[in-house]
Amino acid sequence: MLIDKTTSEADGGWEPDADEDFMTGGSWNERNGRAPDGQRSTAPRPAGRKRRLAFLCLLLLVVGGFIAGGFLRFAESTAEASRIADVPQADAIVVLTGGANRIERALALLKAGHGKRLLISGVNKDTSAGAIARTTNTDPRWFACCVDIDMAALDTVGNAVEALRWADEHGFDDLILVTSDYHMSRSLIEFDRMGDLKRITPVAVRLDDLWRDDIVPTRRGLEVLVTEYAKLMAARIRAAIVGAEPIVSTANAEPAG
């Protein structure tokens, strides 16, 4: 049966509203992205969505590139960190526990006369000086005369706090800092952030199982570097927020004129 759209309501017929589509149930304006008379359309424009998506992709690309570039620079500097030709003399030596061969390297520097005294920071409370002497094959008399042990520090920030307190008590303002190669950058940030020393000389201990062909990290090395880089970024942000004046160290000092 056909409906005569020209039939008037007075004759009992039906006339569709100008904005009503009797076949779809929607208005012509709605089908064409327009709002009813007197209202503004809230439907997003396709062009606007594309611009926002393009901007978001560009932002992610820039941030990702910055992070990736920073990580590559960190990995490269870490690979080079342990290549130090000569270690200058200093007032004292601080070694941060937590990695293999760190304490042995610090004791070797002490015995060679690079510092008057050594602080081993972050030692487990169940570890005695005698146990460290036996493990490192060191004469206990070195520990009796020239080695102090810190058991209070639980992390890198604690290492810096306790080491700087120890240095202040002994009147030391020129230190040699010994820790693993991957840990050195973050350690220097924490010491610089909280200290007022004249100089810190970094002596990085290389872990051979983290590297292949001298500069390429192994799979385990890559995992360690990624984790440490995240911690380094957090330390940099914390240092920027605190805004402490950095101390002069061999890592950031200008060459003498």
Side-chain angles (χ1 to χ4, degrees):
M1 177 178 178
L2 299 176
I3 299 176
D4 186 359
K5 296 183 180 180
T6 62
T7 305
S8 66
E9 293 183 1
D11 295 334
W14 172 82
E15 181 177 354
D17 184 81
D19 279 342
E20 186 177 28
D21 185 338
F22 68 94
M23 295 181 66
T24 64
S27 68
W28 184 90
N29 286 333
E30 291 172 344
R31 297 198 314 277
N32 289 272
R34 299 180 183 175
D37 294 342
Q39 300 182 23
R40 296 183 63 183
S41 175
T42 58
R45 297 179 180 180
R49 287 201 302 267
K50 290 181 180 179
R51 284 194 296 268
R52 287 193 292 271
L53 181 59
F55 176 77
L56 180 59
C57 291
L58 179 61
L59 181 62
L60 292 175
L61 184 63
V62 171
V63 173
F66 175 79
I67 294 175
F71 174 75
L72 290 177
R73 289 191 297 272
F74 168 67
E76 183 180 3
S77 64
T78 300
E80 297 286 342
S82 60
R83 298 172 186 171
I84 181 171
D86 298 312
V87 179
Q89 288 190 335
D91 293 337
I93 305 163
V94 175
V95 57
L96 312 185
T97 60
N101 303 325
R102 295 183 188 180
I103 297 178
E104 290 86 342
R105 182 76 168 104
L107 285 168
L109 290 172
L110 177 67
K111 296 173 184 178
H114 288 280
K116 306 170 189 174
R117 200 166 188 88
L118 168 65
L119 173 68
I120 305 176
S121 179
V123 176
N124 188 288
K125 293 182 178 180
D126 296 327
T127 303
S128 65
I132 298 175
R134 289 190 297 272
T135 302
T136 59
N137 194 27
T138 301
D139 190 330
R141 287 177 292 183
W142 280 103
F143 285 81
C145 77
C146 311
V147 178
D148 297 311
I149 296 177
D150 156 50
M151 298 183 178
L154 301 177
D155 53 21
T156 305
V157 175
N159 290 141
V161 171
E162 297 303 323
L164 292 170
R165 180 182 295 128
W166 172 81
D168 182 65
E169 290 175 354
H170 290 83
F172 301 146
D173 62 0
D174 183 0
L175 298 180
I176 293 173
L177 178 62
V178 180
T179 189
S180 297
D181 50 4
Y182 64 86
H183 187 233
M184 184 59 75
S185 295
R186 182 160 59 96
S187 301
L188 286 173
I189 286 178
E190 299 299 353
F191 274 74
D192 286 357
R193 182 170 67 91
M194 291 179 287
D196 57 356
L197 302 177
K198 181 178 69 175
R199 184 179 65 168
I200 293 180
T201 299
V203 175
V205 177
R206 184 181 181 88
L207 301 182
D208 291 332
D209 62 334
L210 301 185
W211 301 97
R212 182 190 306 113
D213 298 330
D214 200 35
I215 58 174
V216 179
T218 62
R219 180 175 179 179
R220 178 173 176 267
L222 186 60
E223 294 174 352
V224 171
L225 289 175
V226 169
T227 301
E228 186 60 31
Y229 182 65
K231 294 179 180 180
L232 177 62
M233 291 296 98
R236 286 176 175 171
I237 293 173
R238 182 168 56 246
I241 293 174
V242 173
E245 291 293 331
I247 63 174
V248 177
S249 73
T250 55
N252 58 29
E254 296 182 357

